[in-house]
Amino acid sequence: MRVIPIVVPTPFYIGPVNCYLVAEDPVTLIDTGPKTKEAIEALREGFRRARVHIRDVRRIVLTHAHEDHCGLAKSLRDEAKDAEVLVHGWETGHRVGRLQHDEHRALLVRAGVPADEISAMRRMYEGMRQLADALEDHEHRELIDDSELEFATGALRVVHTPGHTPGSCSFVREADRTVIAGDCVLKRITPNPVLSPDPIDPSKRFRSLAEYLVSLARLRSLAPTLVYGGHGEAVTDYEELFNRYLRAIRERQREVIKLVPKEGATAWDVAGELFPGVGDMHRFLAVSEAVAHLDLAHSEDKIAVELGGDGREVYRNMSAV
Ligand SMILES: [Zn+2]
Ligand SMILES: [Zn+2]
């Protein structure tokens, strides 16, 4: 099975995204890059070098539905005529571009984000949506955990690895324990658990970090020899990365707990202390990170949380009470 990485530029801070062309029957593209002129040109060049035609693509598989990974899915599907798009059912909000606006707003209010900041986040999000076409229900098929994507000479097993987003998936070639992991595994940075509604009950918050820790352990149980991430170089020593991530998460958790005063603070307050002076879109990622760590600390009984009359959650440091 020929897996060919194609590096595609993005306008995002994270830099280029890695797409993976499986040049085998049926020709399959895993992740597409954002909907920009630069991205489609880089993709076309990658296909040319691999001597594969975009019109021969039969499957477009998405590790998750962030714009840098899914942006071109619809236009490539149209160009390739019979191609089908596959994405996990839990990527609902991102996939259709409606991002469950009310649910999202409710999560931000609960996290203590001020109204003007929520409006600014919404405007930025609307801008980002221009970098991806929405996929309606009839335009994709659901990826099912533990199913196989079959090829003429082998298969990729679908492993649902929620955390970064609820519907993030990885793909494992069992013959040599190679994994394509999207943003679940990034060599140089610990991926952000992005604030999302729970896909089962959107009035609740998705427990991103707890789920992410399970996903990391699940990948570890596969003893991967090579992990292709969504950005940056491939990971050859997953064990080292796993331990490094765990240390970084524990270290961040300690930091977050220290920032929770006994008189109480919202996730927004904690995010401001954790990342002072962050601008624009990073404020959403900052509050996502704070919420994820506060949720994990709360689930481990290290801090208390209560919902105030104003709809905001207030965290209290129990050790200081
Ligand atoms: Zn992502
Ligand atoms: Zn990404």
Side-chain angles (χ1 to χ4, degrees), residues 145-291:
D145 184 39
D146 212 28
S147 64
E148 283 193 341
L149 299 174
E150 286 178 16
F151 292 90
T153 63
L156 288 174
R157 182 166 295 280
V158 179
V159 183
H160 181 207
T161 43
H164 174 63
T165 64
S168 284
C169 283
S170 300
F171 306 94
V172 183
R173 183 164 61 173
E174 283 163 333
D176 60 1
R177 304 200 311 278
T178 306
V179 181
I180 295 170
D183 286 357
C184 183
V185 174
L186 302 175
K187 181 156 182 173
R188 303 212 175 269
I189 51 168
T190 319
N192 272 101
V194 179
L195 182 63
S196 312
D198 187 296
I200 309 286
D201 176 358
S203 69
K204 291 198 182 125
R205 189 158 62 219
F206 180 62
R207 301 285 153 176
S208 56
L209 197 49
E211 292 277 354
Y212 184 55
L213 289 169
V214 174
S215 295
L216 288 176
R218 188 167 175 207
L219 286 182
R220 188 191 190 202
S221 72
L222 303 170
T225 53
L226 183 65
V227 184
Y228 292 112
H231 305 270
E233 312 129 74
V235 171
T236 49
D237 188 349
Y238 182 77
E239 195 61 21
E240 183 275 332
L241 176 129
F242 176 83
N243 287 311
R244 181 156 50 85
Y245 272 14
L246 249 50
R247 277 198 301 275
I249 289 168
R250 288 296 160 202
E251 178 57 35
R252 176 55 54 85
Q253 194 189 50
R254 274 193 293 275
E255 255 180 283
V256 165
I257 291 172
K258 263 195 242 161
L259 293 172
V260 177
K262 67 172 184 242
E263 61 276 16
T266 64
W268 177 251
D269 299 331
V270 172
E273 299 259 345
L274 199 57
F275 306 102
V278 291
D280 299 349
M281 95 155 276
H282 296 109
R283 281 204 280 271
F284 174 70
L285 295 177
V287 77
S288 287
E289 176 100 357
V291 168

Side-chain angles (χ1 to χ4, degrees), residues 64 66 68-69 164 183:
H64 64 299
H66 277 161
D68 46 342
H69 297 260
H164 174 63
D183 286 357

